[in-house]
Amino acid sequence: MAHTHDEHKNNLDSHDEHSGAHHIVSIPLYLMVFGILMVGTILTVLVAFVDLDHIFPGANTLVALTIAFVKMTFVMLYFMHVKYSSKLIWLTAIAGFFWLAIMFAYTMQDYLTRSQGVFNG
Amino acid sequence: MQNASAINSAEYIEKPTNYLNNGYTIKSWLLTKDHKRIAIMYLIVVSIFFMMGGLYAATIRLELLTPQSDLLQTQTYNKVFTQHGILMIFFFLIPSIPAILGNFLIPIMIGAKDLAFPRINLLSWYLYMIGGMLTLWALMQGGVDTGWTFYAPYSTQFSNSYVMAVGLGIFINGFSSILTGLNFIVTCHTMRAPGMTWFRMPLFVWAHYATSLVMILGTPVIAITILLLAAERLARIGIFDPAIGGDPILFQHLFWFYSHPAVYIMILPGMGVISELISNFSRKKIFGYEFIAFSSIAIAVFGFLVWGHHMFVSGQSIYAGLVFSFLTMVVAVPSAIKMFNWTATLYKGSILFDTPMLYALGFLGLFLIGGLTGLFLGSMGLDVHLTDTYFVVAHFHYVMVGGQVIAYLGGIHYWWSKMTGKMYSEFWGKLSAMLVFVGFNLTFFPQFILGYQGMPRRYASYPEELQVLNIFSTAGASVLGVGLVMPVIYLTHSLIWGKDAPANPWMLPGLEWRIASPPPTENFETTPIVTWEAYDFSDENGLDMEEARRKNIVTV
Amino acid sequence: MATHAIDTHDTHDHYHPPGLQHQFEDMGQQQESASIGMWMFLVQEIMFFGGMFTVYLVFRSKFPMAFAAGSNHLNVYWGAGNTVVLIVSSLTMALAVHYAQTGKRMAQVVCIILTMILGATFLGVKAIEYADKYHEGIVPVTGLNLRTALHTEPNTAGGSHVPGDPDSLEKSSLDAPSSAENQRGTSGSASNSAGHVEDEYVNPNGNFLWTDTSLAELAQKEDYLTTAEKVGYFSNGQIDANKFRDKVRIFYYIYFMMTGLHALHMIIGLGLMAWLLWKAWSGAFTADYFSPVEMSGLYWHFVDIVWIFLFPLLYLLGRHFGAGGH
C-alpha cells in the first residue's frame, strides 16, 4: 500500500480516522442530540422575551449566543462526527472560528475605541 | 521507481509518451484533468493578462514622462491605472506562481499522480477564465476608475456601473483561487508518497501550503465584500453610504481583511521558489529548513492581523492604528528569518550563476528593499506623511515585481526544461535577467525619492520640478519592458528550436528531477518511496556531483 | 538506503473498488481527502458568512435600538418554526448518513426525501416571510415595495404593523442625493403612463416604509442610547424619524442579505440532495462507499448551524425591549 506509514509522519495525519470515519453513531444518540437542540431552541425563544439586561447590559445577547453556541457544538460533535474525527478536522473546525474571531476582534477594536466615540451617521 | 542511481539523464530521453504528446486535440486540453496540462493552460492565459497589465503600465509611465496630462486625459488616466491594478493583482499576481508552477509541481514534488481533486482543479481554471473574461468585457466597455481598491462610497454611488461587472469578475475569480488553495491543502495532507514526510517536502510546497491557508481563510471575505458592494450599487441600500447611515470605513476593514493577506498570497509562493533556487544553485542543503517552513505559516497567520495599516489616515481609531502598526513590525520577523536563512545558505555554497539563480539573487536584494520600506510605511507616524505618495507605489512594486515577478521568472526558467522538455538559451536568459534587474531598479528607485518629496499617486500630472526623476523612471520602464519581452521570445523559440532537455539538467535531488522531461501523464510509473531529505546533496542520495561536473552536464 | 529506494509498488494489479478515482491509491485515502476537502470548504463558508456577521456586529453595536426595532417586527413564530424545521432536517440528514453506513438503501432514500421536504418547507416559510415584508413596504431596496397600494394594506400582518406615512417620506434623505438614480425604473414609468394611478399608492417611489420610532424614544427616556445613536437618530435634539428609518433599513438590508445567502445555500443543498437521492435510489452507496452522503451531510449541517446563529441574532435580540408593547 502506498500509505505505508513512516515513523516521521506528522501526527496530524494520524490515520486513526480511517476507523473514525466509519464510526457509526447510534440512533438513540442522534435522538438525544436532537432533543437537546429542540430544548435549546425553545429556551432561547422564551429567554428572549425576558428582560435580563437589568442584570447587566447585554445579558440577553450573551444568553442567546451561549445557547446558539451550545447548539452548534452539539451539531458539530455528533451530527458532523467531529467527535470521532482526526485531530486535523478538529483543528480545521477550530481554525475557522478562530479566524472569524480575529475578524470580529480587530474590526471592533477600531469601532470601540474611536476617540470621540462618535461615528457621524 | 525513480531509483536514486537511475538519475542518469540519458535513460529517460527516449521515453516516447509524456503529458504533452498524450493527445493533441483541443478537447484533450480543455477537458483534461491532468494538473500539468491545466498548469500550461494557466500559463498561457496568465501570460496574456500579464502582457495586458504591462501595456497599461507602459501607458502610465509614458503619460508621466511630462508634468502635464498630455498623453491621456485625467479621466482616462484614472481608468488606466485602475485596470493596470486589477489585471495585475487579481489576474496575474495571485494566480501566477500557485496556479502555474504550484499546479505543475506540487503533485510531482510530493510524489503523487495528481492533485487530490483533478476535476475541481479544472473547474478552478474555468472559473478563472469566466472571471477574467467578464472583467475584460467590462474593461472593453470603458472600464472603471475606482482604483483596484474599489473604495466606497465612490465605487457605490459615483464612478460607473461597470464596477459591478468587474466586481462579479473578481468574485468568480476568487472562487477559482479558493478551490486551488483547497486542492493544494488536501493534496499536501493526503497525497504524499510513502516516506515523503512533512519535513521532507520541498519548501516550495510549504510555501504553497501557507498560501493556500490564506486563500481559503481570506478570499471568501473579499467575495462577500464585493457582493455587498454590488448590492449597494444595484439597490442603493446604504450600508457603505455615510449619507444614509452607512459606514465606508467598514468597507475598508472588510476589503483589507482579505487584501492585506492577499499580498502574502502574492509573495509567499515567490519565497517558496526562491528557497528552491537558493538551495539548489548553491548545491547545499538549505540553512534552517524548519525555520523557513514555519516562517511561511507564521506569515500566513500574522498576515491576518495587520490589515489596519492600510487605514492609518482613513478615520479608524488611534488605538487601532497603534495596534496594527505594532503588529506590522511583528509580521516582519518571519520574512526576516527567511532572508537570513537564504543568505546563510549562500555562505560557502558552490554557487552556479545560471539564469534562475540570477533572478534569485536579484530577489534577495529587491525584496530586502521592498520589505524594509514596508516597515517605514507600517510606522504610523511616518505613514501619515507618506500615505498615497509614490513611496507607497515604489514599496509595493519592490515587493510585488521585485519579489513575486522576479521569483516567477526565476521559477519559469528553472522548471522550463521540466515543463516543456526543451532548453532555453542560457545567454539570452542571463541577459534578460540582468536587464530586468537594472530596468526595475531604474524604474522604481526614483519613485521612492519622488514619494518622499511628496508626489501623490494616482494623478496624471505633477509639478515640473519632479520631472527629472520621472524621466529616469520612464526610461527604466523601457529597459524593464525589453527585459520582460525577451523571455517571451527566446522561451517560445526554445519550444521549436531548443535542445531536448535531459531529465535532470542541473543534477539536483528533488523528486521532480527524477522523472522524465516532460513528465509522463501519471508523473511516476510507480509510486516512489522517498528516503532522502529535501535538498540532500550528499552521496547517499545517489548524486555523484564530481562525476556530473566531469561530464559537464552541469551548465555553467 | 539505495536498495530501499529501488523497492517499488505496483499499483496496477491490486483490486480497484468502485468509486475509486485514479489519482488515489485506496478508498481510505480518497475518503480522507474528501473529508479534509469538505472541511476546508466549510472553513471557507464560515469566512464567507463571517463577512456578513462582521457587518451585523458593527452596525448592531452602533445602533442597537434600530436593530431591536427591526428585529421585533420580524415574525418570531415563523422564525422559531423554521428553526425547528431545520433541526429536524438535520436529524433526518444525520440518519441518512447512518443508514448509508449500515447499507440500508430504502431507509436512506426515505431520510433523504424527508430532508428535502423539510428543506423545501423552510424555503416556503421564508418566501412567505419575504412576501409579508414586501407587502408591508420594508424591503430595503430603493424602488421596490411598489405594491404598497392603499387597498392592499389590510392584508399585512397585524400587531406591530407600521403604517406608511407619505408625508414623512417626502422628506426622505434618500431622495435628496443623486435623485437620478432613484428615479430609474419605477416612479418614472408609473407617473408617465397614467397619472391618476399615482394617487392610489402611498409610496410611489417604492421607498422603505418605516415610521415607528418608539424604541428610540424608550431608550432616550431610559438613557441607554449609545454615542453613535445620539448622533445617528437625532436632528436638532429631536428624534428624526427619517434618520431612524435609515438605520432600520440597514437592519433589513442585513436581514435580507444574510437570510438570502442562507436560502441560496439551502437551494444548493436541495440540489445536492436530489443528486444523492438518485444515487441512493440506484444503490450506489454501500457500507464501504458512502462518502458523498457524508459530505453532503456536512454541508447540510453547516447550513443548519448558520441558521442556529441567524435566528437569535435576527429574530430574538431586542425582543425584551418590545415585550411591553408587543
Side-chain angles (χ1 to χ4, degrees):
Chain A
M1 272 343 312
H3 267 243
T4 349
H5 300 303
D6 202 281
E7 68 276 16
H8 296 291
K9 270 216 160 180
N10 192 303
N11 59 359
L12 277 179
D13 291 317
S14 59
H15 285 241
D16 51 18
E17 81 263 24
H18 279 193
S19 53
H22 295 271
H23 184 97
I24 299 173
V25 182
S26 69
I27 292 180
L29 186 54
Y30 275 142
L31 289 176
M32 214 167 79
V33 173
F34 172 72
I36 292 169
L37 294 177
M38 293 308 288
V39 170
T41 306
I42 295 165
L43 200 64
T44 193
V45 174
L46 292 181
V47 167
F49 287 93
V50 182
D51 186 2
L52 299 177
D53 276 8
H54 69 267
I55 304 172
F56 62 90
N60 272 89
T61 312
L62 187 69
V63 170
L65 286 180
T66 309
I67 293 174
F69 237 93
V70 171
K71 284 164 74 180
M72 177 192 77
T73 311
F74 275 100
V75 172
M76 286 180 72
L77 286 182
Y78 294 97
F79 283 2
M80 297 173 89
H81 299 177
V82 171
K83 187 163 186 275
Y84 315 100
S85 296
S86 66
K87 282 183 202 149
L88 179 66
I89 302 295
W90 281 84
L91 196 66
T92 310
I94 292 168
F97 290 99
F98 179 71
W99 252 264
L100 199 57
I102 288 178
M103 184 157 59
F104 291 166
Y106 282 81
T107 307
M108 289 316 286
Q109 70 155 354
D110 170 21
Y111 284 96
L112 298 178
T113 57
R114 293 278 168 84
S115 54
Q116 303 305 312
V118 168
F119 186 76
N120 201 335
Chain B
M1 165 57 207
Q2 284 58 50
N3 170 6
S5 60
I7 240 171
N8 203 328
S9 42
E11 285 178 29
Y12 290 93
I13 292 174
E14 61 256 26
K15 281 229 176 285
T17 57
N18 57 53
Y19 82 100
L20 286 172
N21 62 20
N22 185 8
Y24 292 98
T25 57
I26 291 185
K27 191 180 154 203
S28 76
W29 281 89
L30 290 182
L31 293 180
T32 184
K33 282 178 269 170
D34 183 352
H35 65 103
K36 299 181 288 297
R37 286 194 161 202
I38 295 171
I40 298 294
M41 298 199 306
Y42 268 116
L43 174 64
I44 294 165
V45 187
V46 167
S47 303
I48 293 170
F49 277 114
F50 184 46
M51 264 184 268
M52 295 183 61
L55 285 178
Y56 280 120
T59 319
I60 292 172
R61 276 324 315 170
L62 272 182
E63 160 58 45
L64 292 177
L65 195 59
T66 56
Q68 301 79 25
S69 66
D70 38 16
L71 178 64
L72 303 172
Q73 291 175 330
T74 49
Q75 275 304 310
T76 319
Y77 182 79
N78 292 347
K79 290 182 174 175
V80 167
F81 74 70
T82 300
Q83 283 150 37
H84 167 68
I86 290 171
L87 289 179
M88 283 301 199
I89 287 174
F90 293 108
F91 297 99
F92 171 69
L93 283 169
I94 288 177
S96 61
I97 295 183
I100 300 169
L101 296 175
N103 229 332
F104 193 95
L105 290 159
I106 286 175
I108 300 179
M109 281 180 163
I110 63 174
K113 280 188 236 168
D114 206 323
L115 288 170
F117 307 115
R119 272 183 292 191
I120 289 181
N121 196 20
L122 184 64
L123 176 66
S124 300
W125 185 78
Y126 277 103
L127 288 175
Y128 174 74
M129 287 299 284
I130 296 169
M133 289 307 125
L134 195 57
T135 307
L136 276 186
W137 172 80
L139 300 192
M140 296 302 138
Q141 297 295 313
V144 292
D145 58 354
T146 57
W148 77 279
T149 46
F150 300 107
Y151 271 8
Y154 181 71
S155 58
T156 53
Q157 277 176 265
F158 307 99
S159 191
N160 61 49
S161 285
Y162 292 111
V163 168
M164 284 193 294
V166 175
L168 190 60
I170 291 168
F171 181 86
I172 295 170
N173 182 44
F175 282 93
S176 157
S177 157
I178 290 170
L179 292 176
T180 303
L182 188 151
N183 226 333
F184 286 171
I185 286 189
V186 177
T187 305
C188 288
H189 275 286
T190 63
M191 305 296 281
R192 282 170 292 123
M196 178 54 80
T197 61
W198 281 93
F199 291 102
R200 282 177 177 172
M201 291 196 311
L203 289 165
F204 180 81
V205 182
W206 271 100
H208 275 79
Y209 189 86
T211 310
S212 306
L213 285 178
V214 182
M215 283 172 169
I216 288 188
L217 292 162
T219 317
V221 179
I222 193 76
I224 190 78
T225 311
I226 298 247
L227 203 63
L228 289 173
L229 190 78
E232 169 94 30
R233 171 137 209 128
L234 189 68
R236 183 129 190 276
I237 294 149
I239 202 156
F240 296 136
D241 177 2
I244 49 177
D247 185 347
I249 297 179
L250 179 61
F251 175 82
Q252 297 186 23
H253 273 300
L254 292 171
F255 179 83
W256 289 112
F257 180 85
Y258 164 73
S259 292
H260 188 73
V263 309
Y264 298 108
I265 295 179
M266 300 177 219
I267 192 65
L268 273 168
M271 291 169 158
V273 172
I274 296 304
S275 299
E276 295 292 312
L277 295 182
I278 296 279
S279 179
N280 283 326
F281 284 92
S282 305
R283 311 215 149 258
K284 198 170 155 231
K285 189 168 166 43
I286 198 149
F287 183 85
Y289 173 97
E290 286 85 355
F291 281 93
I292 297 188
F294 280 119
S295 65
S296 292
I297 306 291
I299 288 175
V301 173
F302 285 114
F304 276 97
L305 304 177
V306 300
W307 77 80
H309 66 215
H310 295 270
M311 301 164 57
F312 284 148
V313 296
S314 73
Q316 75 175 350
S317 78
I318 305 285
Y319 169 81
L322 285 173
V323 171
F324 281 128
S325 185
F326 170 74
L327 288 167
T328 306
M329 304 298 143
V330 175
V331 82
V333 173
S335 307
I337 288 175
K338 283 178 189 287
M339 285 298 296
F340 291 136
N341 281 315
W342 290 327
T343 323
T345 308
L346 290 174
Y347 180 66
K348 285 192 173 171
S350 38
I351 299 174
L352 294 173
F353 290 98
D354 284 10
T355 311
M357 187 58 167
L358 291 186
Y359 280 113
L361 294 173
F363 176 98
L364 292 189
L366 301 179
F367 182 72
L368 184 70
I369 296 175
L372 282 177
T373 51
L375 288 183
F376 302 170
L377 291 170
S379 318
M380 195 160 70
L382 188 55
D383 185 66
V384 172
H385 174 64
L386 293 173
T387 293
D388 274 349
T389 65
Y390 260 82
F391 196 90
V392 179
V393 176
H395 155 69
F396 69 72
H397 280 91
Y398 261 83
V399 179
M400 297 292 112
V401 183
Q404 179 85 337
V405 176
I406 295 269
Y408 169 70
L409 289 172
I412 288 284
H413 283 88
Y414 178 46
W415 284 295
W416 186 255
S417 60
K418 188 52 62 183
M419 293 172 85
T420 64
K422 298 289 183 182
M423 300 299 285
Y424 58 85
S425 155
E426 193 61 36
F427 168 78
W428 289 105
K430 283 180 183 166
L431 186 64
S432 88
M434 282 185 274
L435 277 183
V436 166
F437 184 80
V438 172
F440 174 82
N441 279 300
L442 193 55
T443 311
F444 290 103
F445 201 84
Q447 295 184 3
F448 280 125
I449 306 167
L450 284 171
Y452 188 74
Q453 291 177 345
M455 178 173 164
R457 62 193 285 207
R458 295 182 169 174
Y459 282 88
S461 55
Y462 54 85
E464 285 189 9
E465 55 266 36
L466 299 176
Q467 189 176 11
V468 175
L469 285 169
N470 270 300
I471 290 175
F472 270 112
S473 187
T474 302
S478 326
V479 179
L480 181 60
V482 173
L484 288 174
V485 168
M486 274 167 55
V488 179
I489 298 168
Y490 65 72
L491 288 179
T492 317
H493 176 272
S494 78
L495 287 179
I496 303 156
W497 292 284
K499 274 193 306 179
D500 280 340
N504 193 353
W506 285 290
M507 296 307 283
L508 299 172
L511 254 182
E512 78 268 31
W513 300 113
R514 296 173 190 236
I515 58 174
S517 305
T521 301
E522 295 265 295
N523 296 345
F524 301 93
E525 305 258 297
T526 50
T527 310
I529 297 180
V530 181
T531 56
W532 59 88
E533 305 295 316
Y535 317 114
D536 183 357
F537 285 93
S538 60
D539 282 347
E540 293 86 55
N541 189 29
L543 287 172
D544 188 343
M545 291 315 304
E546 284 313 307
E547 163 101 0
R549 288 218 174 78
R550 269 201 306 281
K551 284 184 180 167
N552 204 19
I553 293 174
V554 177
T555 53
V556 178
Chain C
M1 292 294 267
T3 51
H4 187 197
I6 293 168
D7 182 15
T8 63
H9 293 270
D10 196 338
T11 54
H12 297 294
D13 60 359
H14 76 79
Y15 167 65
H16 266 259
L20 178 64
Q21 293 176 340
H22 83 102
Q23 72 272 25
F24 297 115
E25 299 283 346
D26 57 61
M27 290 306 277
Q29 192 188 13
Q30 176 170 330
Q31 156 81 24
E32 196 189 347
S33 300
S35 165
I36 298 174
M38 193 64 209
W39 274 98
M40 289 295 158
F41 181 76
L42 293 186
V43 168
Q44 181 276 130
E45 289 280 25
I46 290 176
M47 296 310 289
F48 187 73
F49 279 101
M52 279 312 301
F53 279 106
T54 308
V55 172
Y56 176 92
L57 179 67
V58 166
F59 281 108
R60 171 144 219 138
S61 69
K62 278 160 92 175
F63 306 116
M65 282 302 126
F67 269 55
S71 169
N72 289 356
H73 189 64
L74 294 174
N75 190 324
V76 73
Y77 302 108
W78 282 130
N82 250 351
T83 311
V84 172
V85 167
L86 260 198
I87 290 177
V88 179
S89 82
S90 250
L91 175 71
T92 55
M93 189 66 231
L95 291 177
V97 175
H98 175 92
Y99 289 124
Q101 285 172 322
T102 49
K104 292 183 179 134
R105 189 173 72 99
M106 273 324 285
Q108 265 176 70
V109 168
V110 169
C111 279
I112 293 172
I113 290 175
L114 279 177
T115 312
M116 287 179 79
I117 292 173
L118 290 162
T121 310
F122 177 93
L123 288 172
V125 171
K126 212 69 231 154
I128 295 172
E129 286 190 78
Y130 281 2
D132 271 359
K133 299 294 163 281
Y134 178 72
H135 290 304
E136 288 175 49
I138 45 178
V139 176
V141 177
T142 312
L144 272 185
N145 304 320
L146 256 190
R147 283 230 198 120
T148 318
L150 287 168
H151 60 270
T152 63
E153 279 221 333
N155 292 347
T156 52
S160 50
H161 171 62
V162 182
D165 181 353
D167 292 337
S168 73
L169 286 159
E170 288 308 306
K171 294 175 294 192
S172 153
S173 59
L174 248 183
D175 297 340
S178 75
S179 56
E181 206 159 329
N182 289 322
Q183 298 290 334
R184 114 196 108 173
T186 52
S187 63
S189 61
S191 54
N192 287 344
S193 55
H196 66 278
V197 179
E198 217 174 321
D199 303 336
E200 287 185 26
Y201 289 93
V202 283
N203 189 12
N205 290 329
N207 280 330
F208 186 77
L209 297 180
W210 186 279
T211 51
D212 179 13
T213 57
S214 57
L215 279 187
E217 285 150 22
L218 178 73
Q220 188 188 21
K221 200 170 68 198
E222 310 259 328
D223 192 29
Y224 46 73
L225 287 169
T226 65
T227 38
E229 287 180 307
K230 283 176 187 160
V231 176
Y233 301 159
F234 289 83
S235 295
N236 308 321
Q238 296 296 314
I239 290 178
D240 182 332
N242 284 336
K243 286 177 92 174
F244 188 75
R245 178 209 54 203
D246 287 344
K247 312 304 181 281
V248 177
R249 186 173 49 218
I250 289 177
F251 171 82
Y252 273 97
Y253 175 40
I254 291 172
Y255 164 79
F256 276 103
M257 278 301 277
M258 289 182 106
T259 55
L261 276 178
H262 180 263
L264 183 69
H265 279 78
M266 292 287 297
I267 292 168
I268 295 170
L270 284 180
L272 274 177
M273 290 298 135
W275 171 71
L276 273 190
L277 182 62
W278 174 64
K279 295 275 275 186
W281 180 259
S282 55
F285 305 125
T286 61
D288 296 323
Y289 174 64
F290 53 84
S291 196
V293 192
E294 206 183 8
M295 298 309 122
S296 310
L298 287 179
Y299 176 83
W300 194 266
H301 296 311
F302 170 79
V303 177
D304 185 24
I305 286 176
V306 173
W307 185 258
I308 284 177
F309 280 94
L310 286 185
F311 172 57
L313 289 179
L314 295 176
Y315 286 80
L316 294 181
L317 293 189
R319 282 282 160 189
H320 60 283
F321 294 125
H326 202 71

